[in-house]
Amino acid sequence: MTGHWRKGSMAFAVAVLVAGILRLVLPERWAGLLAVRAKWIDCLILLGLGALMATLVMFVPHSRPA
């Protein structure tokens, strides 16, 4: 069954948002691979991308089965 793309996409968006929040609150030595660039750049990219993905998933219309 391939109709679960919306749940999977939303789960991915939530994971990216959680990564952004963790990058924001964790100290540098605990951030691990979340710390790639400056903290504000990492947070901006992760939170922005997660919010964009979640918004797109919510606005794509449901397809009706044939």
Side-chain angles (χ1 to χ4, degrees):
M1 187 175 218
T2 59
H4 298 292
W5 68 268
R6 190 177 302 272
K7 289 180 185 177
S9 299
M10 188 56 82
F12 189 71
V14 168
V16 173
L17 287 169
V18 168
I21 293 169
L22 286 175
R23 177 64 175 113
L24 185 64
V25 299
L26 288 176
E28 193 77 27
R29 62 187 174 100
W30 287 2
L33 293 175
L34 291 175
V36 178
R37 299 169 250 353
K39 183 181 263 193
W40 71 272
I41 295 173
D42 286 340
C43 292
L44 180 71
I45 291 172
L46 288 169
L47 293 172
L49 185 61
L52 177 66
M53 286 190 300
T55 303
L56 287 174
V57 168
M58 288 187 282
F59 280 109
V60 171
H62 291 280
S63 60
R64 295 197 169 89

